[in-house]
Amino acid sequence: MRINYLSYGVVETGGYRHEKYLFDSLCALVAEKEIVEQQSLRKNKLFTTWISYFELLWWSWRNSTGDINIVGGRTALAALLRNVVGKKEVWVVLHNFDENDGKSKLLKWYFNMLFYWLKNQQSKRFKVIAIAPYWVNYFKQKFSSDNVYLFPNLFDVKQYEPYQNITKEKRVHLGQWSSKNDDSIFQLARLLSEKDYYCYFSTLEPEMSAPHNGQYEVKYFNEFNSYLSEMARCCCTIAFTRINEGWNRIGHESILVHTPVIGYKKGGLGDFLKESNSIIANNAEEAYTCIVENKWSIIDKSFIDTYSKQKTNQYLEPICNDH
């Protein structure tokens, strides 16, 4: 069996890591029964114009030749159209969808076409993979379809155990530096800096790092262990997003190093906060009060086990077996 994974982008985001783990896990599961020819292809480029999107679609069309093709939202339509005739499976990974996510008119048009197609093609060969229960329900309703499956972020829990007993300090991880952050995050940083808390954002892009400006710093970590160690020293991690979040990988990693999370109930992030027994705040003032008055909830340890990589096949097998 041939299994292809198509991805794109200049940064290996949390979404990419989720998709790549799905691909690797699928290959390993199928290889238990038959020979697997696996191919992971990536376009290391940003696509912003009509011409570049057509390039991406053509690339996706040419390379959606596996018996199973795992694709993201922007490569999905070409892969799906090719395999109406090709008769191969296409797994479309959709992390989230929010009309307020700053999408261009071109992207909105594209996703309208993709969603229309998914709603009108109810074949079991075409599956949508969602990252959180919120999005499973959302896409089932959006497409009037049961061909939507849960494959969440899964982690090697033991990798995080060495950081779980690090002493907490007056440090706050403001989450990842992103245009998706709600402006209230800056209000919170200002309030906390007045109480002598050190606040920082993390970033995956070294060129986005910035020195402390009196309220916060934007930090790039060369080593993953340094990122975990810094987050483990924090009294909490903040997840204030202005959009309906897919999940929240940084928040999840924060829980794994026993650093509490405070966030908004937005999309899959709401699932994450509820399941981990984290703190849901409505504004910066509520989060500020929790932090300075040390009002923390106890992390639900069963949450950690639920999203362990040891549970991979428990999530993967229902997708594979539904024909």
Side-chain angles (χ1 to χ4, degrees), residues 5-44:
Y5 167 47
L6 309 183
S7 66
Y8 54 88
V10 295
V11 177
E12 294 184 355
T13 62
Y16 166 76
R17 283 177 279 178
H18 169 254
E19 294 168 6
K20 185 64 164 57
Y21 184 67
L22 169 64
F23 167 70
D24 291 337
S25 302
L26 176 62
C27 291
L29 181 63
V30 175
E32 294 176 3
K33 298 179 179 179
E34 59 184 291
I35 296 173
V36 173
E37 180 184 342
Q38 62 187 74
Q39 189 170 213
S40 178
L41 301 168
R42 185 168 177 82
K43 274 280 192 181
N44 292 296

Side-chain angles (χ1 to χ4, degrees), residues 1-4 21-39 66-70 89 91 127 151 312-314 316-323:
M1 176 180 285
R2 178 184 292 179
I3 303 175
N4 288 0
Y21 184 67
L22 169 64
F23 167 70
D24 291 337
S25 302
L26 176 62
C27 291
L29 181 63
V30 175
E32 294 176 3
K33 298 179 179 179
E34 59 184 291
I35 296 173
V36 173
E37 180 184 342
Q38 62 187 74
Q39 189 170 213
D67 296 295
I68 300 176
N69 302 279
I70 297 175
E89 287 193 32
W91 294 16
K127 305 175 189 286
F151 190 85
T312 298
N313 287 355
Q314 177 180 312
L316 190 56
E317 286 175 350
I319 309 173
C320 295
N321 295 335
D322 195 2
H323 298 290

Side-chain angles (χ1 to χ4, degrees), residues 48-50 53 74 97 99 101-113:
T48 57
T49 66
W50 280 92
Y53 278 126
R74 298 189 193 186
F97 185 78
E99 294 287 353
D101 191 10
K103 288 182 171 58
S104 66
K105 289 182 179 180
L106 173 60
L107 267 183
K108 288 181 179 178
W109 174 84
Y110 170 82
F111 276 103
N112 283 334
M113 293 290 291

